[in-house]
Amino acid sequence: MNDSGPWDNIPDVRDGLTRKERTILYCLQQTQQELGGRNVPTIMLYGRVLELVDISQDEFQQILSRFTGLTRTTTDSSRLLGPGDD
């Protein structure tokens, strides 16, 4: 299911989301429903997204940061996805 093409990084004209961004939002919504509306741990979300698209931890974190309006001051992605981090 990890089919990739040249169009994967081009924003869709309907909403401006790329395939990876849309996949992250879809997985977030599905997982949040499964957890009864609770917050979704980042590592759980990353694992589910990886089942659908090929994405690095750094790219995943950058997209999440844009969605939440946060900026990241460190490049150590292992710290961001470490044990106990949500």
Side-chain angles (χ1 to χ4, degrees):
M1 212 186 287
N2 286 335
D3 297 334
S4 63
W7 55 88
D8 284 348
N9 294 320
I10 298 173
D12 191 296
V13 296
R14 297 171 291 179
D15 55 17
L17 295 175
T18 65
R19 179 173 180 243
K20 290 176 182 179
E21 291 168 342
R22 185 173 289 103
T23 301
I24 290 172
L25 290 177
Y26 171 78
C27 289
L28 177 61
Q29 188 233 0
Q30 292 296 314
T31 307
Q32 197 168 29
Q33 285 180 352
E34 290 174 18
L35 296 177
R38 295 188 338 233
N39 291 336
V40 177
T42 304
I43 193 68
M44 178 186 283
L45 178 60
Y46 180 61
R48 291 181 179 218
V49 169
L50 275 179
E51 292 176 358
L52 300 175
V53 295
D54 185 23
I55 187 170
S56 69
Q57 285 183 359
D58 286 337
E59 186 177 10
F60 175 78
Q61 286 291 343
Q62 288 172 358
I63 292 171
L64 279 184
S65 293
R66 276 198 322 270
F67 283 161
T68 60
L70 301 175
T71 57
R72 194 172 78 191
T73 58
T74 182
T75 59
D76 182 13
S77 61
S78 62
R79 184 186 130 326
L80 296 171
L81 291 176
D85 285 348
D86 290 345

